[in-house]
């Protein structure tokens, strides 16, 4: 570009650090959002109330306000972080509320009859605990299957996003 080599170095650093913040925040948000979603569908009323309060409060607060509170409010009460962990924390807590709603909606879409049928077949959600309770399994195989499923889903999403970006018609990208 016409701005010189310093601008190219700064642009490269901005690209790398923003991608790292987004990646770290998304990974943390997925874990936290899943826990909040579990609280939202819990049969324990205080957990449901805490999950719903968190989601409603954080989702209705703009991200800029949360960033401002985390960068300037936390040091006022004696909690000191560097800029990068503060940005990751604020971004992940904000995104976790949206992840929690998506996961909760997914859980609530399974009809009661299907959930009962899955339990009757032994397809419980914490399969790892069930298998360990029943016998002496190879936990490495179970972990590898979970990891493989996660990586395959990520690969399919990446391929789908790439094809979708290359086509103008979203129906053709789906086919």
């Amino acid at each position: 570009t016409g701005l010189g080599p310093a601008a190219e170095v700064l642009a490269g650093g901005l690209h790398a650090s923003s991608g790292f913040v987004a990646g770290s925040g998304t990974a943390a948000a997925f874990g936290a959002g899943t826990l909040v979603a579990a609280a939202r569908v819990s049969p324990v009323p205080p957990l449901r109330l805490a999950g719903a309060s968190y989601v409603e409060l954080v989702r209705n607060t703009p991200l800029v306000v949360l960033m401002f509170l985390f960068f300037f409010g936390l040091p006022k009460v004696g909690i000191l972080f560097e800029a990068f962990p503060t940005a990751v924390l604020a971004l992940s807590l904000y995104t976790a509320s949206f992840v929690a709603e998506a996961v909760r909606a997914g859980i609530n879409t399974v009809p009661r009859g299907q959930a009962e049928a899955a339990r009757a077949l032994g397809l419980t959600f914490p399969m790892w605990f069930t298998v360990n309770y029943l016998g002496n399994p190879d936990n490495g195989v179970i972990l590898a299957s979970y990891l493989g499923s996660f990586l395959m889903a990520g690969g399919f999403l990446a391929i789908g996003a790439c094809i979708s970006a290359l086509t103008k018609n979203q129906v053709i990208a789906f086919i």
Side-chain angles (χ1 to χ4, degrees):
T1 64
L3 298 176
E8 291 177 13
V9 170
L10 290 174
L14 176 66
H15 183 265
S17 61
S18 63
F20 191 65
V21 168
S24 303
T26 303
F30 183 73
T34 303
L35 292 175
V36 172
R40 295 254 357 230
V41 296
S42 170
V44 180
L47 279 178
R48 278 198 317 263
L49 178 64
S53 300
Y54 170 78
V55 167
E56 291 303 320
L57 178 71
V58 175
R59 263 186 30 188
N60 293 320
T61 305
L63 180 59
V64 174
V65 172
L66 282 178
M67 288 284 194
F68 189 83
L69 286 173
F70 274 73
F71 273 99
F72 299 113
L74 289 180
K76 294 285 186 189
V77 295
I79 302 173
L80 300 173
F81 287 122
E82 295 291 324
F84 181 77
T86 304
V88 169
L89 181 66
L91 185 64
S92 61
L93 289 177
Y94 180 72
T95 309
S97 63
F98 292 96
V99 170
E101 279 300 291
V103 171
R104 182 194 62 81
I107 291 170
N108 287 341
T109 59
V110 177
R112 184 177 298 272
Q114 279 188 336
E116 290 173 0
R119 280 193 294 277
L121 292 172
L123 300 175
T124 58
F125 178 69
M127 184 183 86
W128 200 323
F129 300 119
T130 305
V131 171
N132 277 298
Y133 177 75
L134 293 176
N136 190 11
D138 185 4
N139 287 320
V141 173
I142 296 172
L143 179 64
S145 67
Y146 280 133
L147 183 63
S149 298
F150 184 72
L151 291 175
M152 281 181 53
F156 286 129
L157 284 173
I159 291 168
C162 180
I163 292 172
S164 176
L166 294 174
T167 61
K168 292 184 179 185
N169 189 343
Q170 299 300 315
V171 175
I172 292 174
F174 178 72
I175 294 171

